[in-house]
Amino acid sequence: MTTSRRFRRLAALAVALALLTTAALSVMAQAEETKFALIEGTETGDTLSPREIAAKCRTSVVAIETETRVVQNGYDYSPFGMFGYGYGYGYGYGDRGGSREYTQTSAGSGVILSSDGYILTNNHVISGADKITVYVMPEDADGEETAYEATLIGASETNDVAVLKIDAKGLNAASFGDSDTLELGEPAVVIGNPMGKVHGSVTAGIISATERELTIDDVTIDAIQTDAAINPGNSGGALFDEYGNVVGIVYAKSSSVSIEGIGYAIPVNNVKELVSQIINEPESVQAQTKGSQIMLGITIQNVTEELSRRYNMPVGVYVKDVESMSAAERAGIQKGDIIVEFAGETITDADSLNAVKAQQTSGDTVSIKVDRNGKTVELDIVIPQPTEVETDK
């Protein structure tokens, strides 16, 4: 082969390699460009009135309805068949004896993350649901909302967030602010779906506190506190700052429903990175660092003073369910019990139970007092080994 022919072949090979490299880099750049990212809002310029925030942001918040198939055996009537825990709003009902199957419908709220249908909500709003329906508000206040069946993309029980996807285009995606810069007394607006019936409801108030420690179902967060009205069904909705940016994901109101003007939201800075990971790198969410918690194997709900008066039951923690082979089942705790004392300490709500439980040592035997159909029953429970749970802290 002549030198000139060899040179031409080498030159052609070099050109081909260059073209392949350019194409690969172009594909990589395109993939990087299409990676999901939250819309960052601005915190400069004129602030907005509640009316202006409602006009700008109302269609960025959706109503969520879930359907869950429930099979119950030997079910006794209780008020907790009617009220879901957290701030999804339950519509189940009670019955006495026998076995039955029914569909329980609950409701909550969500925030639109992207124009093509990614939705952020609380994990407890959609956990265990067989069907999730998202209702998008119309641009015209007199128009009709649009219903979409949603797919669960991913969730974190520890952080109580979940990401859904609906097949939609042209949605009004919310912008996200900096929850670390919030100051006490600055205006705040909540938009959501209270009671599962008032889609797009707007309430206004102020930032009452930041970094307020709150524990529900063994999940502890440093929450934002607001006096903007929050009610069952608002969970997963948005807490907006005075620029119309989402700074919190509505989480709960005061554990005592008789106290008004105290509601909580998850600071968005705590979950921004996690939300992007759920969409872009779902496998990495499963590889978060882990912590340990003592899990008794029960699902619980607070019996507040109001419920106590209404249904003539003691204040404490109502046991909604007991896991098979758990420490609670071995101790003899039953579904329907109300825990009123643990390790000698009075229990008034989930926070007090978790606080006392955290002080115990694995292997120790401690006493529990429960109210069972109006009678006090004393039980002994062996504290189990801590269970590994996901956490991003």
Side-chain angles (χ1 to χ4, degrees), residues 144-338:
E144 294 185 1
E145 60 192 15
T146 305
Y148 299 88
E149 186 164 349
T151 301
L152 177 62
I153 300 300
S156 170
E157 181 177 355
T158 303
N159 297 275
D160 200 14
V161 294
V163 177
L164 311 175
K165 182 68 170 66
I166 60 175
D167 186 12
K169 300 293 183 183
L171 303 181
N172 181 23
S175 60
F176 286 74
D178 184 355
S179 57
D180 290 340
T181 63
L182 291 176
E183 296 182 359
L184 303 188
E186 71 173 85
V189 170
V190 168
I191 301 180
N193 177 29
M195 312 308 290
K197 298 178 180 180
V198 193
H199 298 186
S201 177
V202 181
T203 58
I206 62 171
I207 300 298
S208 304
T210 59
E211 299 184 2
R212 182 75 80 196
E213 187 173 288
L214 180 68
T215 302
I216 294 180
D217 278 353
D218 290 322
V219 177
T220 300
I221 64 169
D222 291 326
I224 301 167
Q225 181 184 324
T226 180
D227 67 346
I230 289 174
N231 287 288
N234 271 118
S235 272
L239 175 70
F240 292 95
D241 66 12
E242 57 190 342
Y243 296 96
N245 300 319
V246 180
V247 288
I249 303 302
V250 176
Y251 182 62
K253 68 180 292 181
S254 170
S255 61
S256 173
V257 294
S258 63
I259 300 176
E260 297 299 333
I262 300 180
Y264 301 99
I266 301 171
V268 293
N269 286 15
N270 290 9
V271 297
K272 281 181 179 179
E273 183 178 350
L274 175 61
V275 169
S276 294
Q277 286 179 344
I278 289 175
I279 297 173
N280 295 321
E281 308 166 46
E283 67 284 352
S284 70
V285 177
Q286 305 302 320
Q288 296 176 52
T289 56
K290 294 186 175 183
S292 298
Q293 293 181 5
I294 293 173
M295 309 295 282
L296 303 180
I298 53 178
T299 302
I300 59 177
Q301 178 169 346
N302 293 338
V303 180
T304 64
E305 291 183 2
E306 181 175 338
L307 289 175
S308 173
R309 290 191 299 269
R310 184 180 301 175
Y311 296 104
N312 192 29
M313 56 175 61
V315 171
V317 173
Y318 177 82
V319 178
K320 297 178 67 177
D321 198 14
V322 180
E323 293 181 12
S324 177
M325 303 302 291
S326 65
E329 184 184 63
R330 290 192 294 270
I333 296 175
Q334 299 178 10
K335 179 179 177 180
D337 286 348
I338 299 174

